[in-house]
Amino acid sequence: MSNSSKCSEEQSPRYPFLDLAAVNAPCAGRLAEAACRVIESGRYIGGEEVEAFEGELAALAGTDCAVGTGNGYDALRLILRAWVEMGRLQPGDEVIVPAHTFIASVLAVSDASLVPVPVDADPLTMNLDTSLVEAALTSRTRAIMPVHLYGRVCWDDTLASLAASRGLLVVEDCAQAIGARSAVAGLSGSCRAGALGHASAISFYPTKNVGALGDAGAVLTSDRELAATVRALANYGSDRRYHNIYAGVNSRLDPIQAAMLRVKLSCVAEENAARFARAMAYERTICRADLVRPLMSDSVTDCVWHQYVVRFTGPSRDLFRRRLLEAGVATDVHYPVPPHLQPCYARRQLARTPLPVAESICRQAVSLPIAGALTVADTAAIARIINDLEI
Ligand SMILES: *Cc1c(COP(=O)(O)O)cnc(C)c1O
């Protein structure tokens, strides 16, 4: 291979990690029609499009209410802020969070003047290790935030019974797990991710399984008082025009994104099924002594494969990724640094106990392509490239 062809391959690999144009190509016509509908409506904040989307989302998740927000981070922040306004949480209360997550989960807690308490990950699922939660509870613990990381539901009997017996509020970070289902029923009997606890936050960031064409998010809950408080907080804290009961923020779902999301939401089952098929192809084909595959399940829904994350146990993850890119496969890392080791938390000493599993996942994780135009044959081809890689 000449240097010049190698160089162009690095700029545009045969298998890109994620090509968002390819993700949206199958529904581009419907997206354009929906955008035209909004442009012609003259309604660019709130209105029918947002209301219709909220209804469709709540129906999918199995909650009584859905409230559109500007993004997924705001959805998390607004839930916690609403509980503070409602007197269900007090500043300084502790919230259990997974040590291994995207930092937004943790930032949302500290942003609401609450104290995030990270609990280590389960090496098998890479989610919160629920067996460690009880030991992390103190007299100040008031809430717990399961994060369904990489699309895998984080919910079991241990969490359900702890939450119920200790009266803990449960806020799900459902940003990566739209359409997933739990094997164990949630607090109100539903098995759907987003309806397992008291409230949940969804993100429609463009890379998520249901992605907007910009920023968007939503709060899901069957607690009507909470939904009304979130809706007011997200609209300057006003319950009616020019009447502000809270010092709120502006975080609304745009009708144009609601219209895009109504198109995307109608394909969520197909999207999640396609991701499952690709994960199965990786599971069947990848075989390397220095690579740990993610836990596979035979259910199509307890993991919706937002990411397919392998753990590289060899000496240099960087070298492994570089060699893969040279062989035409782009990868990513979710996430290289756990929140408790980020500079923004350096002075707060978030970690109360060692968090070795989360730290080792961050050193070893490699996300393989799982979305977009990738066929099952492509996925198997990527797996064979991985198997043949010499490093
Ligand atoms: C994407 C994501 C968020 C934040 O969502 P935004 O819409 O980007 O603000 C929060 N938590 C997790 C786990 C996420 O993956």
Side-chain angles (χ1 to χ4, degrees):
M1 189 190 294
S2 76
N3 272 341
S4 66
S5 78
K6 191 169 169 181
C7 187
S8 69
E9 199 165 58
E10 278 177 14
Q11 276 157 13
S12 165
R14 166 125 195 245
Y15 301 106
F17 179 69
L18 179 62
D19 176 350
L20 285 174
V23 167
N24 289 319
C27 49
R30 291 169 65 204
L31 290 171
E33 269 171 41
C36 284
R37 192 171 69 225
V38 175
I39 292 166
E40 285 163 14
S41 76
R43 184 82 198 244
Y44 308 129
I45 297 287
E48 274 173 31
E49 206 72 54
V50 174
E51 281 164 26
F53 172 67
E54 288 175 341
E56 287 157 15
L57 180 65
L60 177 93
T63 56
D64 292 345
C65 316
V67 182
T69 59
N71 54 68
Y73 176 48
D74 280 354
L76 279 173
R77 294 201 294 172
L78 287 163
I79 292 166
L80 294 168
R81 172 88 196 272
W83 279 337
V84 171
E85 295 288 355
M86 294 161 79
R88 296 193 195 164
L89 292 175
Q90 308 290 330
D93 283 351
E94 294 174 3
V95 181
I96 302 288
V97 294
H100 179 55
T101 183
F102 179 53
I103 196 160
S105 320
V106 183
L107 287 175
V109 175
S110 44
D111 181 76
S113 302
L114 304 164
V115 179
V117 176
V119 166
D120 210 4
D122 174 342
L124 215 58
T125 63
M126 297 189 267
N127 269 334
L128 177 73
D129 185 339
T130 60
S131 73
L132 302 176
V133 171
E134 187 160 21
L137 300 181
T138 73
S139 59
R140 299 295 316 252
T141 313
R142 291 286 177 275
I144 177 158
M145 184 190 289
V147 180
H148 310 307
L149 201 68
Y150 307 147
R152 187 184 306 275
V153 171
C154 177
W155 189 256
D156 60 10
D157 289 315
T158 309
L159 272 189
S161 65
L162 268 181
S165 68
R166 307 288 184 106
L168 300 173
L169 289 167
V170 177
V171 49
E172 292 167 74
D173 182 338
C174 201
Q176 302 188 357
I178 191 163
R181 273 170 191 269
S182 165
V184 171
L187 299 178
S188 61
S190 170
C191 287
R192 291 187 235 185
L196 299 169
H198 299 100
S200 65
I202 304 227
S203 165
F204 302 107
Y205 186 77
T207 64
K208 302 286 156 86
N209 291 27
V210 173
L213 275 67
D215 273 311
V219 169
L220 293 170
T221 184
S222 291
D223 177 343
R224 291 187 181 277
E225 191 190 345
L226 175 66
T229 309
V230 165
R231 203 178 281 288
L233 278 170
N235 190 30
Y236 308 110
S238 60
D239 57 347
R240 56 193 151 84
R241 205 157 181 231
Y242 301 130
H243 185 258
N244 299 73
I245 45 178
Y246 312 111
V249 300
N250 174 355
S251 183
R252 300 175 294 226
L253 174 65
D254 292 339
I256 191 101
Q257 294 304 341
M260 301 296 100
L261 286 167
R262 292 181 72 191
V263 174
K264 300 291 292 285
L265 201 64
S266 69
C267 322
V268 62
E270 288 89 337
E271 174 65 26
N272 289 348
R275 287 167 183 261
F276 177 74
R278 295 175 196 128
M280 278 301 270
Y282 279 139
E283 165 70 12
R284 288 203 201 97
T285 320
I286 293 176
C287 181
R288 273 187 81 101
D290 55 7
L291 222 54
V292 183
R293 296 186 307 271
L295 186 67
M296 199 64 212
S297 64
D298 39 20
S299 151
V300 186
T301 52
D302 75 339
C303 181
V304 293
W305 299 100
H306 174 60
Q307 299 295 352
Y308 185 90
V309 177
V310 295
R311 293 175 66 179
F312 179 70
T313 59
S316 172
R317 172 174 64 183
D318 286 351
L319 184 65
F320 174 72
R321 294 187 61 214
R322 202 166 343 120
R323 288 273 186 277
L324 259 183
L325 187 59
E326 285 164 8
V329 180
T331 59
D332 206 338
V333 172
H334 300 94
Y335 299 91
V337 181
H340 68 278
L341 296 181
Q342 289 288 358
C344 63
Y345 286 125
R347 277 190 289 152
R348 284 209 232 178
Q349 290 275 317
L350 231 52
R352 295 184 180 173
T353 55
L355 301 165
V357 179
E359 289 174 18
S360 105
I361 292 172
C362 288
R363 283 190 300 270
Q364 298 178 335
V366 178
S367 306
L368 304 181
I370 186 81
L374 210 64
T375 64
V376 166
D378 291 334
T379 318
I382 292 172
R384 283 191 295 273
I385 292 172
I386 290 171
N387 291 347
D388 294 343
L389 206 69
E390 287 183 29
I391 60 160

